[in-house]
Structures are given as C-alpha cells and as structure tokens.
C-alpha cells in the first residue's frame, strides 16, 4: 500500500493520459507513465496516398485497365477510371475507402461494368520513398485478380492523417 493507490511523489505510477474517453476511437494518447517513468510518443505520419495510381491487373480481370484516384486529408475518397475490354472508359465512385497502416481497401459497385454486385480491392503499399503496392480485387462474381499499383501523379497537397503513436522512452526526464 505504500507503493500504490494514489498519485503521490515517491510512488510508482502506471498512467495513460488521453484527450478523451480511453475507449473512444477518436481519443488520442498524450503520454504514458510506467513504473514512475514517462514515455514520449512520436507519431509516424500516415502514408500519403493522395494522387493517381495505375493498377495493373492479371489476365483474369474483366477489365483492361484501372486508374485509381485518391483525394482527401482527414478521410480518403476515391474513384476508379475503368477501361473495359471494349476500350470504353467509365468512372466509378469508391465506397468505404479505408487506410489502415500500409493497407488500403475499398469497394465499388460493378453495374457499369455489366456485373451485378460489389467488388472489393485491397492493396498493401511497401514504402513512402517510392511507393508501390501489391494486392487483389475480388469481383462481384467471386473471381479474384491480382494487381500491382504504381503512382502516376502526386496530389498537390499531402494528407495529414496520423497512425497510432509509437512509444519511445524519454531519456531526458527529471528525477
């Protein structure tokens, strides 16, 4: 009892300081204390995926070519310019665009491609320095096409979304 139970000088503190309810998805961790020592957080920037991407598909695809266009700062939005086997181009709005770490996923309706239902794709991007991605599309009929993604044009304004913080021990603490 002399070591726990209150926040007092001389006692060990295991604390998490947040800017809101600990279990709210929008809450950010401001600092942590473990055994009385403060740990600093350095937030890794999210991948800047805004811009245009060429998606190259394998031969099983019902389309000839896909161009992915992503916009947004706080939440990504996007569309696909699809070139069908007939060489006609169609623009399709993406639904549920999610960036989770290095993985981008989205879905889109395939009616304009003469397919009934929804297709989903997922791409994992390797690095920020020269971003390339690999992934797959699952079409409305259940068939899967492998794909690769390469950036064509960067967006003028980078995104500011941040990933979860990474803990780094503070070596400059006062005793």
């Amino acid at each position: 009892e002399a070591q726990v139970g209150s926040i007092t000088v001389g006692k060990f503190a295991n604390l998490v300081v947040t800017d809101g309810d600990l279990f709210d998805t929008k809450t950010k961790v401001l600092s942590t204390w473990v055994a009385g020592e403060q740990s600093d957080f350095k937030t890794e920037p999210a991948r800047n995926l805004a811009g245009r991407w060429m998606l190259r598909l394998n031969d099983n695809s019902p389309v000839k070519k896909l161009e992915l266009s992503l916009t947004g700062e706080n939440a990504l939005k996007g569309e696909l310019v699809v070139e069908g086997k007939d060489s006609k181009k169609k623009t399709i709005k993406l639904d549920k665009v999610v960036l989770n770490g290095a993985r981008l996923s989205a879905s889109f309706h395939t009616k304009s491609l003469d397919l009934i239902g929804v297709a989903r794709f997922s791409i994992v991007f390797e690095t920020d320095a020269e971003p390339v991605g690999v992934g797959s599309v699952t079409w409305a009929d259940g068939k899967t096409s492998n794909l690769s993604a390469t950036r064509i044009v960067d967006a003028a304004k980078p995104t500011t979304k941040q990933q979860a913080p990474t803990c780094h021990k503070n070596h400059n603490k006062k005793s």
Side-chain angles (χ1 to χ4, degrees), residues 145-164:
S145 299
N146 292 324
L147 66 83
S148 63
T150 53
R151 188 185 298 272
I152 331 175
V153 176
D154 283 329
K157 197 173 181 186
T159 62
T160 58
K161 187 175 177 182
Q162 297 180 339
Q163 293 178 334

Side-chain angles (χ1 to χ4, degrees), residues 78-120:
E79 63 184 23
L80 290 172
V81 176
V82 180
E83 186 175 327
K85 297 286 185 182
D86 59 2
S87 296
K88 291 183 182 176
K89 291 186 177 182
K90 300 169 184 165
T91 301
I92 302 171
K93 182 183 173 204
L94 295 178
D95 297 317
K96 301 176 185 167
V97 181
V98 177
L99 178 61
N100 186 1
R103 180 181 300 272
L104 175 74
S105 60
S107 60
F108 57 97
H109 293 277
T110 58
K111 184 177 181 180
S112 63
L113 300 174
D114 297 326
L115 297 171
I116 298 171
V118 175
R120 298 173 303 282

Side-chain angles (χ1 to χ4, degrees), residues 12 17 22 68-69 76 87 99 103 117 153 159:
F12 286 111
V17 180
L22 182 61
L68 171 64
S69 179
L76 286 174
S87 296
L99 178 61
R103 180 181 300 272
V153 176
T159 62

Side-chain angles (χ1 to χ4, degrees), residues 22-81:
L22 182 61
F23 299 106
D24 188 328
T25 57
K26 295 179 183 179
T27 297
K28 294 178 187 152
V29 174
L30 302 175
S31 73
T32 59
W33 295 75
V34 178
E37 292 189 27
Q38 183 179 9
S39 297
D40 288 335
F41 285 91
K42 295 194 183 212
T43 303
E44 300 294 328
R47 296 181 185 275
N48 178 10
L49 299 180
R52 291 180 23 222
W53 297 84
M54 180 58 60
L55 305 182
R56 289 176 179 76
L57 300 160
N58 67 5
D59 292 334
N60 296 334
S61 171
V63 300
K64 186 175 178 182
K65 190 163 119 180
L66 284 173
E67 185 179 302
L68 171 64
S69 179
L70 295 171
T71 60
E73 289 187 19
N74 295 327
L76 286 174
K77 295 179 182 178
E79 63 184 23
L80 290 172
V81 176

